[in-house]
Amino acid sequence: DNVIKETSVEEVENDYIVNKNTKVFHNYGCSGVNRMKEKNKKEITATRDEMIKKGYKPCGICKP
């Protein structure tokens, strides 16, 4: 039998750096974070899907 088992993908929580001004989220170590003003930086722990549901966009550089 060629039975394909469906595996559930577990969403993993990550620590992201968000830009409160542009609503873009970044992985730690992204060069985009270095260009951000300190007042716009915020740390958030969430899954990628949660970040998008909250209205944040993934960074085009680090593609979290």
Side-chain angles (χ1 to χ4, degrees), residues 7-58:
T7 57
S8 64
V9 176
E10 192 173 318
E11 278 289 318
V12 179
E13 284 199 340
N14 285 307
D15 292 328
Y16 295 110
I17 305 285
V18 299
N19 185 321
K20 296 186 289 187
N21 186 41
T22 62
K23 302 280 273 185
V24 174
F25 66 100
H26 305 260
N27 286 318
Y28 275 85
C30 174
S31 61
V33 173
N34 299 334
R35 294 195 297 263
M36 215 184 288
K37 290 181 180 168
E38 279 302 316
K39 68 176 184 171
N40 292 332
K41 289 181 187 178
K42 183 178 176 186
E43 279 185 48
I44 294 182
T45 301
T47 66
R48 187 179 194 277
D49 283 351
E50 286 171 342
M51 294 300 293
I52 292 167
K53 284 179 189 157
K54 289 178 185 179
Y56 291 97
K57 297 177 300 244

Side-chain angles (χ1 to χ4, degrees), residues 1-5:
D1 287 342
N2 287 340
V3 177
I4 297 171
K5 288 185 180 175

